[in-house]
Amino acid sequence: MRKPYVAGNWKMNKTIPECVTLAIELREKLPKDTKAAVAVIPQFLALPKVAEVLRGSAIGVGAQDVYFEKNGAFTGEISCEMLKDAGAAFALVGHSERRHVIGETDAIVRKKLEALLKSGLEVILCIGEKLEEREAGKTQERLSIQTRAGLEGLAKADLAGVTLAYEPVWAIGTGKTASTAQAEEAHQFIRGLVEELFDKSVAQSLRIQYGGSVKADNAAELMGQPNVDGALVGGASLVADSFLGIVKGA
Ligand code: PEP
């Protein structure tokens, strides 16, 4: 049985003190009997303080991105070791805003994923189709390209450190959510592909989060689907009560 995993991506929001305040509120209010794994993903500069506040709590801390080189002349970038030093346990790679706003390719996403695993950090690999791809009947093709580019050829054991997040680009920050049927269909497809690339046991253990305008009032239904193992939450993770409402639905 896969344990549901709910992660709040705070994106480029909140000052350091605001991040700390939200982390403290989550730490204080997260019910002791919470069944899901829970994590938050603050902006880089707030990471050390948020990690300090949440140390010893049931809430994990991750980073929104990473660079694959160890150190050197890469102005503006942050390495895996730097993330570990700051207290992160994992990082997102391939978030749609990195792919489509910053222009990251599948090849870059793969390098980042490998660097994270090599350094002992876990990964949430985000994949998802654009609206025009869905409308052209190319959802599975896009998911297949991104999943293969991210995972094909990894050792089976590496998959223990990977969570996938299916995030249809048209649903992120738009208020439009995939229907439960659309989400389940995509998750089932991705799990089948992982089985093809690895084996049944790897595919069955892999957690696949759904992301795209998840809110407290649609969370339980989405996460109630057999292949939806949690949520990657943007906007609704910026307020403790709405994020905790989603965690409750897991
Ligand atoms: C996200 O940032 O990954 C996300 C899904 O955002 P939102 O929940 O705001 O759509």
Side-chain angles (χ1 to χ4, degrees):
M1 191 55 195
R2 297 177 296 270
K3 184 175 178 171
Y5 181 14
V6 181
N9 173 15
W10 296 349
K11 309 197 192 193
M12 198 175 74
N13 291 298
K14 297 190 183 287
T15 61
I16 297 172
E18 286 166 350
C19 287
V20 168
T21 301
L22 178 53
I24 292 173
E25 196 179 348
L26 291 171
R27 186 190 67 194
E28 304 302 315
K29 288 185 171 174
L30 182 77
K32 296 260 175 303
D33 60 353
T34 298
K35 290 190 184 66
V38 178
V40 295
I41 313 172
Q43 45 103 333
F44 283 127
L45 299 178
L47 225 161
K49 289 225 158 140
V50 169
E52 196 181 306
V53 160
L54 296 177
R55 195 159 296 132
S57 79
I59 305 174
V61 182
Q64 297 177 15
D65 190 35
V66 70
Y67 196 60
F68 48 81
E69 296 287 356
K70 281 203 173 79
N71 56 267
F74 304 102
T75 301
E77 297 295 350
I78 306 273
S79 72
C80 296
E81 288 307 315
M82 291 168 187
L83 290 187
K84 276 166 63 175
D85 191 31
F90 70 94
L92 298 180
V93 294
H95 190 279
S96 77
E97 288 144 21
R98 305 270 342 152
R99 292 180 188 269
H100 304 301
V101 180
I102 312 291
E104 272 184 19
T105 61
D106 280 328
I108 292 174
V109 172
R110 172 62 178 249
K111 282 187 175 183
K112 292 182 172 188
L113 179 141
E114 285 188 12
L116 285 161
L117 293 177
K118 203 166 162 198
S119 72
L121 288 165
E122 295 194 351
V123 182
I124 298 180
L125 167 64
C126 306
I127 60 173
E129 81 287 359
K130 290 184 182 173
L131 183 60
E132 58 265 34
E133 290 167 330
R134 174 161 285 271
E135 287 174 349
K138 294 193 166 164
T139 297
Q140 294 191 349
E141 187 183 321
R142 173 56 55 205
L143 297 180
S144 173
I145 290 168
Q146 291 179 337
T147 305
R148 283 178 189 279
L151 303 182
E152 195 163 25
L154 290 179
K156 283 181 193 173
D158 284 339
L159 271 285
V162 177
T163 296
L164 280 185
Y166 167 60
E167 299 205 298
V169 179
W170 48 271
I172 299 180
T174 58
K176 285 185 201 154
T177 315
S179 68
T180 49
Q182 284 171 325
E184 174 58 19
E185 188 188 17
H187 283 230
Q188 213 173 19
F189 172 76
I190 296 162
R191 200 177 302 286
L193 190 58
V194 172
E195 182 172 337
E196 218 178 273
L197 294 175
F198 299 93
D199 62 27
K200 197 174 178 81
S201 140
V202 167
Q204 285 306 316
S205 316
L206 183 77
R207 284 189 295 203
I208 309 176
Q209 297 171 320
Y210 168 80
S213 300
V214 177
K215 307 259 178 315
D217 59 7
N218 59 21
E221 205 189 342
L222 281 160
M223 293 189 270
Q225 301 305 301
N227 285 289
V228 179
D229 309 313
L232 182 55
V233 186
S237 71
L238 294 172
V239 174
D241 289 340
S242 72
F243 184 60
L244 292 170
I246 292 168
V247 170
K248 200 172 158 198

